[in-house]
Amino acid sequence: MAQLKLEFRGHTALVTMSNPPANTWTRETLTALRDMVRELNQNKSVYALVITGEGQKFFSAGADLNLFADGDKAVASDMARIFGEAFETLSQFRGASIAAINGYAMGGGLEVALACDIRIAETQAQMALPEAKVGLLPCAGGTQNLAWLVGEGWAKRMILCGERLTAEKALQIGLVEEVVASGTALEAALALAEKVAEQSPSAVTACKKLIQQGRSGTIHAALPLERELFVGLFDTKDQVEGVSAFLQKRAPHWVNG
């Protein structure tokens, strides 16, 4: 049975981590995620991606520590590389990505959520990056993405002190954007993904690129690029359709091009 399931709900791709009991990541599932997102990038009918965990207890507990039990550096190097490839590919998904955190999100399980654009957590969810407790560190973007999202202080509390957060605390510090009742994160994420489908997919891609530009450059480089990408949208059919639909007081019909 597939440990990473893909289904489509309208213009949304729903990815479900299905590796019981804790939806841990393996080399196979990480490779599958990387390849899946690359294929979704080529599918012009997909505007948003939602990722969640199967079951009622775990979103994902991250990597299976049995992989690292014998201290093999070659295995460590290979796993670090594929973790990075998978989550960086997810981070660069051309549409909007939403994590529906339905339970424990630990280590690489939280890092996959950090690679998404938006996080919705159920009230019982708990989040941590506890790698240093076992002599390791978050190697799949955790040290960088967490600090960008919540600031250096809370990133250090979670990573250096191993602090585990409740959904309520995660909301308070900006680690998640919304907390919902138990059992409803997927429903909330899919509803938000439907809102994404109301936007021009071409515009969404350009906007996401600009928002994330600040991580690797300066505002002085980003502002001219903002204007450049704005003008570039006038080469798309979606720009003409969006303005025409507004002026004609009708819903737009996007073609993602």
Side-chain angles (χ1 to χ4, degrees):
M1 184 174 242
Q3 295 180 345
L4 201 65
K5 299 177 179 177
L6 174 64
E7 57 185 293
F8 296 94
R9 307 279 184 93
H11 291 292
T12 301
L14 172 58
V15 179
T16 303
M17 296 174 283
S18 175
N19 186 18
N23 298 327
T24 48
W25 288 106
T26 65
R27 193 185 194 289
E28 291 71 30
T29 52
L30 290 164
T31 302
L33 177 66
R34 179 198 64 191
D35 295 346
M36 189 179 286
V37 174
R38 287 175 177 171
E39 289 176 14
L40 291 173
N41 277 333
Q42 304 304 314
N43 186 340
K44 289 202 166 187
S45 69
V46 172
Y47 303 163
L49 182 158
V50 171
I51 186 165
T52 194
E54 193 167 77
Q56 299 178 324
K57 186 174 182 181
F58 283 95
F59 175 71
S60 172
D64 183 348
L65 286 182
N66 286 309
L67 289 166
F68 309 121
D70 60 3
D72 189 326
K73 286 183 71 175
V75 171
S77 176
D78 185 58
M79 286 301 296
R81 177 185 57 79
I82 192 60
F83 256 113
E85 285 182 5
F87 294 175
E88 286 164 32
T89 300
L90 174 60
S91 181
Q92 292 157 15
F93 171 64
R94 58 164 173 73
S97 55
I98 306 167
I101 304 174
N102 58 300
Y104 288 98
M106 302 292 165
L110 180 56
E111 286 178 298
V112 70
L114 290 170
C116 292
D117 300 313
I118 301 161
R119 286 146 295 280
I120 298 175
E122 294 181 6
T123 185
Q124 83 285 1
Q126 295 189 29
M127 285 148 268
L129 290 178
E131 283 86 349
K133 288 182 185 293
V134 295
L136 299 172
L137 61 78
C139 70
T143 62
Q144 304 305 300
N145 291 333
L146 183 62
W148 270 102
L149 197 60
V150 304
E152 200 174 285
W154 270 104
K156 287 176 176 175
R157 279 187 69 153
M158 291 184 69
I159 297 171
L160 307 187
C161 305
E163 191 159 350
R164 181 186 295 191
L165 302 189
T166 63
E168 181 181 0
K169 177 58 75 174
L171 179 66
Q172 181 185 329
I173 69 170
L175 176 53
V176 302
E177 284 70 45
E178 185 178 1
V179 174
V180 296
S182 179
T184 65
L186 179 56
E187 176 187 346
L190 289 170
L192 193 59
E194 288 184 12
K195 292 184 179 180
V196 175
E198 296 173 7
Q199 322 300 314
S200 157
S202 306
V204 165
T205 298
C207 290
K208 178 172 172 175
K209 178 177 181 179
L210 287 162
I211 293 168
Q212 294 184 176
Q213 174 78 10
R215 300 183 182 192
S216 58
T218 66
I219 190 170
H220 301 293
L223 289 175
L225 180 62
E226 193 176 59
R227 296 188 287 272
E228 180 183 328
L229 293 183
F230 173 79
V231 174
L233 288 173
F234 283 76
D235 291 329
T236 69
K237 295 176 182 176
D238 282 341
Q239 181 276 322
V240 176
E241 170 63 12
V243 174
S244 297
F246 177 81
L247 295 175
Q248 295 167 17
K249 296 182 170 57
R250 61 175 176 80
H253 301 290
W254 307 121
V255 297
N256 197 9

Coordinates of all heavy atoms in Angstrom, one line a residue, residues 71-135:
G71 N 25.1 4.7 13.3 CA 26.0 5.8 13.1 C 26.7 5.9 11.8 O 27.8 6.4 11.6
D72 N 26.0 5.3 10.8 CA 26.6 5.3 9.4 C 26.5 6.6 8.7 O 25.4 7.1 8.5 CB 25.8 4.2 8.6 CG 26.5 3.9 7.2 OD1 27.1 4.9 6.6 OD2 26.4 2.8 6.8
K73 N 27.7 7.3 8.5 CA 27.7 8.6 7.9 C 27.2 8.6 6.5 O 26.6 9.6 6.0 CB 29.1 9.2 8.0 CG 29.5 9.6 9.4 CD 30.9 10.3 9.4 CE 30.9 11.7 8.7 NZ 32.2 12.3 8.8
A74 N 27.4 7.5 5.7 CA 26.9 7.5 4.4 C 25.4 7.5 4.3 O 24.8 8.2 3.5 CB 27.4 6.2 3.7
V75 N 24.7 6.8 5.2 CA 23.3 6.8 5.3 C 22.8 8.2 5.8 O 21.8 8.7 5.2 CB 22.8 5.7 6.4 CG1 21.3 5.9 6.7 CG2 23.1 4.3 5.9
A76 N 23.5 8.8 6.7 CA 23.1 10.1 7.2 C 23.2 11.1 6.0 O 22.3 11.9 5.9 CB 24.0 10.5 8.3
S77 N 24.3 11.0 5.3 CA 24.4 12.0 4.1 C 23.3 11.8 3.1 O 22.8 12.8 2.6 CB 25.8 11.7 3.5 OG 26.0 12.6 2.4
D78 N 23.0 10.6 2.8 CA 22.0 10.3 1.8 C 20.6 10.8 2.3 O 19.9 11.4 1.5 CB 22.0 8.8 1.5 CG 21.0 8.4 0.4 OD1 21.1 9.0 -0.7 OD2 20.0 7.6 0.6
M79 N 20.3 10.5 3.5 CA 19.0 10.9 4.1 C 18.9 12.4 4.2 O 17.8 13.0 3.9 CB 18.8 10.2 5.4 CG 18.4 8.8 5.4 SD 16.9 8.4 4.4 CE 15.7 9.2 5.3
A80 N 20.0 13.1 4.6 CA 19.9 14.5 4.7 C 19.7 15.1 3.3 O 18.9 16.1 3.1 CB 21.2 15.1 5.3
R81 N 20.4 14.6 2.3 CA 20.2 15.1 0.9 C 18.8 14.9 0.4 O 18.2 15.9 -0.1 CB 21.1 14.4 0.0 CG 21.0 14.8 -1.5 CD 21.9 13.9 -2.4 NE 21.6 12.5 -2.3 CZ 20.5 11.9 -2.9 NH1 19.7 12.6 -3.6 NH2 20.3 10.6 -2.8
I82 N 18.2 13.8 0.6 CA 16.8 13.5 0.1 C 15.8 14.3 0.9 O 14.8 14.7 0.4 CB 16.5 12.0 0.0 CG1 15.2 11.8 -0.8 CG2 16.4 11.4 1.4 CD1 15.3 12.3 -2.2
F83 N 16.0 14.4 2.2 CA 15.1 15.3 3.0 C 15.1 16.7 2.5 O 14.1 17.3 2.3 CB 15.6 15.3 4.5 CG 14.7 14.4 5.4 CD1 15.3 13.3 6.0 CD2 13.4 14.8 5.7 CE1 14.5 12.5 6.9 CE2 12.7 14.0 6.6 CZ 13.2 12.9 7.2
G84 N 16.3 17.2 2.2 CA 16.4 18.6 1.7 C 15.8 18.7 0.4 O 15.0 19.7 0.1
E85 N 16.0 17.8 -0.5 CA 15.4 17.8 -1.9 C 13.9 17.8 -1.8 O 13.2 18.6 -2.5 CB 15.9 16.6 -2.7 CG 17.3 16.8 -3.2 CD 17.7 15.6 -4.1 OE1 16.9 14.7 -4.4 OE2 18.9 15.5 -4.5
A86 N 13.4 16.9 -1.0 CA 11.9 16.8 -0.9 C 11.3 18.1 -0.4 O 10.3 18.6 -1.0 CB 11.6 15.6 0.0
F87 N 11.8 18.6 0.7 CA 11.1 19.7 1.4 C 11.4 21.0 0.6 O 10.6 21.9 0.6 CB 11.5 19.8 2.8 CG 11.0 18.6 3.7 CD1 11.3 18.5 5.0 CD2 10.1 17.7 3.1 CE1 10.8 17.4 5.7 CE2 9.7 16.6 3.8 CZ 10.0 16.5 5.2
E88 N 12.6 21.2 0.0 CA 12.9 22.4 -0.8 C 12.0 22.4 -2.0 O 11.5 23.4 -2.5 CB 14.3 22.4 -1.1 CG 15.2 22.8 0.1 CD 16.7 22.5 -0.1 OE1 17.2 22.6 -1.2 OE2 17.3 22.2 0.9
T89 N 11.8 21.2 -2.6 CA 10.9 21.1 -3.8 C 9.5 21.5 -3.4 O 8.8 22.3 -4.1 CB 10.9 19.7 -4.4 OG1 12.2 19.4 -4.8 CG2 10.0 19.6 -5.6
L90 N 9.0 21.1 -2.2 CA 7.7 21.4 -1.7 C 7.6 22.9 -1.5 O 6.6 23.6 -1.8 CB 7.4 20.7 -0.4 CG 6.1 21.1 0.3 CD1 4.9 20.8 -0.6 CD2 6.0 20.3 1.6
S91 N 8.7 23.5 -0.9 CA 8.7 24.9 -0.6 C 8.6 25.8 -1.9 O 8.0 26.8 -1.9 CB 10.0 25.3 0.2 OG 10.0 26.7 0.5
Q92 N 9.1 25.2 -3.0 CA 9.1 25.9 -4.3 C 7.9 25.5 -5.1 O 7.9 25.9 -6.3 CB 10.4 25.6 -5.0 CG 11.6 26.2 -4.3 CD 12.9 25.6 -4.6 OE1 13.0 24.8 -5.6 NE2 14.0 25.8 -3.8
F93 N 7.0 24.8 -4.6 CA 5.8 24.4 -5.4 C 5.2 25.7 -5.9 O 5.0 26.7 -5.1 CB 4.8 23.7 -4.4 CG 3.4 23.5 -5.0 CD1 3.2 22.7 -6.2 CD2 2.3 24.1 -4.4 CE1 2.0 22.6 -6.7 CE2 1.0 23.9 -5.0 CZ 0.9 23.2 -6.1
R94 N 4.8 25.8 -7.1 CA 4.4 27.0 -7.8 C 3.0 27.6 -7.3 O 2.7 28.8 -7.4 CB 4.3 26.9 -9.3 CG 3.3 25.8 -9.7 CD 2.9 25.9 -11.2 NE 2.2 24.8 -11.6 CZ 0.9 24.6 -11.2 NH1 0.3 25.5 -10.4 NH2 0.2 23.5 -11.6
G95 N 2.2 26.7 -6.7 CA 0.9 27.2 -6.1 C 1.0 27.4 -4.6 O 2.1 27.5 -4.0
A96 N -0.1 27.5 -3.9 CA -0.1 27.6 -2.5 C -0.2 26.2 -1.8 O -0.9 25.4 -2.2 CB -1.3 28.4 -2.0
S97 N 0.6 26.0 -0.8 CA 0.7 24.8 -0.1 C 0.2 25.0 1.4 O 0.6 26.0 2.0 CB 2.1 24.1 -0.1 OG 3.0 25.1 0.4
I98 N -0.6 24.0 1.9 CA -1.2 24.2 3.2 C -1.0 22.9 3.9 O -1.4 21.8 3.4 CB -2.7 24.5 3.1 CG1 -3.0 25.7 2.2 CG2 -3.3 24.7 4.5 CD1 -4.4 25.9 1.8
A99 N -0.5 23.0 5.1 CA -0.4 21.8 6.0 C -1.6 21.7 6.9 O -1.8 22.7 7.7 CB 0.9 21.9 6.8
A100 N -2.3 20.6 6.9 CA -3.4 20.3 7.8 C -2.8 19.4 8.9 O -2.7 18.2 8.8 CB -4.5 19.6 7.1
I101 N -2.4 20.0 10.0 CA -1.7 19.3 11.1 C -2.7 18.7 12.0 O -3.3 19.4 12.9 CB -0.7 20.3 11.9 CG1 0.2 21.0 10.9 CG2 0.0 19.6 12.9 CD1 1.1 22.0 11.5
N102 N -2.9 17.4 11.9 CA -4.0 16.7 12.5 C -3.5 16.0 13.8 O -4.3 15.2 14.4 CB -4.6 15.6 11.6 CG -3.6 14.7 11.1 OD1 -2.6 15.1 10.4 ND2 -3.8 13.4 11.3
G103 N -2.3 16.2 14.3 CA -1.8 15.6 15.5 C -0.4 15.9 15.7 O 0.1 17.0 15.3
Y104 N 0.4 15.0 16.3 CA 1.8 15.3 16.6 C 2.6 15.6 15.3 O 2.5 14.8 14.3 CB 2.5 14.1 17.3 CG 2.0 13.9 18.7 CD1 1.0 13.0 19.0 CD2 2.6 14.6 19.8 CE1 0.6 12.8 20.3 CE2 2.1 14.5 21.1 CZ 1.2 13.5 21.3 OH 0.7 13.4 22.6
A105 N 3.4 16.7 15.3 CA 4.3 17.1 14.2 C 5.6 17.2 14.8 O 5.9 18.3 15.4 CB 3.8 18.3 13.5
M106 N 6.5 16.2 14.7 CA 7.8 16.2 15.4 C 8.9 16.1 14.4 O 8.8 15.3 13.4 CB 7.8 15.0 16.3 CG 6.7 15.0 17.4 SD 6.9 16.3 18.5 CE 5.3 16.4 19.3
G107 N 10.0 16.8 14.6 CA 11.2 16.7 13.8 C 10.8 16.9 12.3 O 10.3 18.0 11.9
G108 N 11.2 16.0 11.5 CA 10.9 16.1 10.0 C 9.4 16.2 9.7 O 9.0 16.6 8.7
G109 N 8.6 15.8 10.7 CA 7.1 16.0 10.6 C 6.7 17.4 10.7 O 5.8 17.9 10.1
L110 N 7.4 18.2 11.5 CA 7.2 19.6 11.6 C 7.9 20.3 10.4 O 7.3 21.3 9.9 CB 7.7 20.2 12.9 CG 7.5 21.7 13.1 CD1 6.0 22.1 12.9 CD2 8.0 22.2 14.5
E111 N 9.0 19.8 10.0 CA 9.8 20.5 8.9 C 9.0 20.5 7.6 O 9.1 21.4 6.8 CB 11.1 19.8 8.7 CG 12.1 20.2 9.8 CD 13.5 19.5 9.7 OE1 13.5 18.3 9.7 OE2 14.5 20.2 9.5
V112 N 8.2 19.4 7.4 CA 7.4 19.4 6.1 C 6.3 20.4 6.2 O 6.0 21.1 5.2 CB 6.8 18.0 5.8 CG1 5.7 17.6 6.8 CG2 6.3 17.9 4.4
A113 N 5.8 20.7 7.4 CA 4.8 21.7 7.6 C 5.4 23.1 7.4 O 4.8 24.0 6.9 CB 4.1 21.6 8.9
L114 N 6.7 23.2 7.9 CA 7.4 24.5 7.8 C 7.7 24.8 6.3 O 7.9 26.0 5.9 CB 8.7 24.5 8.6 CG 8.5 24.5 10.1 CD1 9.9 24.2 10.8 CD2 8.0 25.8 10.6
A115 N 7.8 23.8 5.5 CA 8.1 24.0 4.0 C 6.8 24.4 3.3 O 6.9 24.8 2.1 CB 8.6 22.7 3.4
C116 N 5.7 24.4 3.9 CA 4.4 24.8 3.3 C 4.2 26.3 3.5 O 4.9 26.9 4.4 CB 3.2 24.0 3.9 SG 3.2 22.3 3.5
D117 N 3.3 26.9 2.8 CA 3.0 28.3 2.9 C 2.2 28.6 4.1 O 2.4 29.7 4.7 CB 2.3 28.8 1.6 CG 3.1 28.6 0.4 OD1 4.3 28.9 0.4 OD2 2.6 28.0 -0.6
I118 N 1.3 27.8 4.5 CA 0.3 28.0 5.5 C 0.1 26.7 6.3 O 0.1 25.6 5.8 CB -1.1 28.5 4.9 CG1 -0.9 29.7 4.1 CG2 -2.1 28.7 6.0 CD1 -2.0 30.0 3.1
R119 N -0.1 26.9 7.7 CA -0.3 25.8 8.5 C -1.6 26.0 9.3 O -1.8 27.0 10.0 CB 0.9 25.7 9.5 CG 2.2 25.1 8.9 CD 3.4 25.7 9.5 NE 3.5 27.2 9.2 CZ 3.9 27.7 8.0 NH1 4.3 26.9 7.1 NH2 3.8 29.0 7.8
I120 N -2.4 24.9 9.3 CA -3.6 24.9 10.1 C -3.5 23.7 11.1 O -3.3 22.6 10.6 CB -4.9 24.7 9.3 CG1 -5.0 26.0 8.3 CG2 -6.2 24.6 10.1 CD1 -6.2 25.9 7.3
A121 N -3.6 23.9 12.4 CA -3.4 22.8 13.3 C -4.7 22.6 14.1 O -5.5 23.5 14.4 CB -2.3 23.2 14.3
E122 N -4.9 21.3 14.4 CA -6.1 20.9 15.3 C -5.7 21.2 16.7 O -4.5 21.2 17.1 CB -6.4 19.5 15.1 CG -7.0 19.2 13.7 CD -7.4 17.8 13.4 OE1 -7.4 17.0 14.4 OE2 -7.8 17.5 12.3
T123 N -6.7 21.5 17.6 CA -6.4 21.9 18.9 C -5.6 21.0 19.8 O -4.8 21.4 20.7 CB -7.8 22.2 19.6 OG1 -7.5 22.7 20.9 CG2 -8.6 20.9 19.8
Q124 N -5.6 19.7 19.4 CA -4.8 18.7 20.2 C -3.4 18.5 19.7 O -2.6 17.8 20.3 CB -5.5 17.4 20.3 CG -5.3 16.4 19.0 CD -6.1 16.9 17.8 OE1 -6.8 17.9 17.8 NE2 -5.9 16.1 16.7
A125 N -3.1 19.2 18.6 CA -1.7 19.0 17.9 C -0.6 19.5 18.8 O -0.8 20.5 19.6 CB -1.7 19.7 16.6
Q126 N 0.5 18.8 18.7 CA 1.7 19.3 19.4 C 2.9 19.3 18.4 O 2.9 18.4 17.5 CB 2.0 18.4 20.6 CG 1.0 18.5 21.7 CD 1.4 17.8 23.0 OE1 2.6 17.7 23.3 NE2 0.5 17.3 23.7
M127 N 3.8 20.3 18.6 CA 4.9 20.5 17.6 C 6.2 20.6 18.3 O 6.3 21.3 19.3 CB 4.6 21.7 16.8 CG 3.5 21.5 15.7 SD 2.5 23.0 15.4 CE 1.1 22.8 16.6
A128 N 7.2 20.0 17.7 CA 8.6 20.1 18.3 C 9.6 19.8 17.2 O 9.3 19.1 16.3 CB 8.7 19.2 19.5
L129 N 10.8 20.3 17.5 CA 12.0 19.9 16.7 C 13.0 19.4 17.8 O 13.9 20.1 18.2 CB 12.6 21.1 16.0 CG 11.8 21.6 14.8 CD1 12.5 22.8 14.1 CD2 11.6 20.5 13.7
P130 N 12.8 18.1 18.1 CA 13.6 17.5 19.3 C 14.9 16.8 18.9 O 15.4 16.0 19.7 CB 12.6 16.5 19.8 CG 11.9 16.0 18.6 CD 11.8 17.2 17.6
E131 N 15.4 17.1 17.7 CA 16.6 16.4 17.2 C 17.8 16.4 18.2 O 18.5 15.4 18.3 CB 17.0 16.9 15.8 CG 16.1 16.4 14.7 CD 14.9 17.3 14.5 OE1 14.6 18.2 15.3 OE2 14.2 17.1 13.4
A132 N 18.0 17.6 18.8 CA 19.2 17.7 19.6 C 19.1 16.8 20.9 O 20.2 16.4 21.5 CB 19.4 19.1 20.1
K133 N 17.9 16.3 21.2 CA 17.8 15.4 22.3 C 18.4 14.0 22.0 O 18.8 13.3 22.9 CB 16.3 15.1 22.6 CG 15.6 16.3 23.3 CD 14.1 15.9 23.6 CE 13.3 17.1 24.1 NZ 13.8 17.5 25.4
V134 N 18.6 13.7 20.7 CA 19.2 12.4 20.3 C 20.5 12.7 19.6 O 21.0 11.8 18.9 CB 18.3 11.6 19.5 CG1 17.0 11.2 20.3 CG2 17.8 12.3 18.2
G135 N 21.1 13.9 19.8 CA 22.4 14.1 19.3 C 22.4 14.5 17.8 O 23.4 14.5 17.1

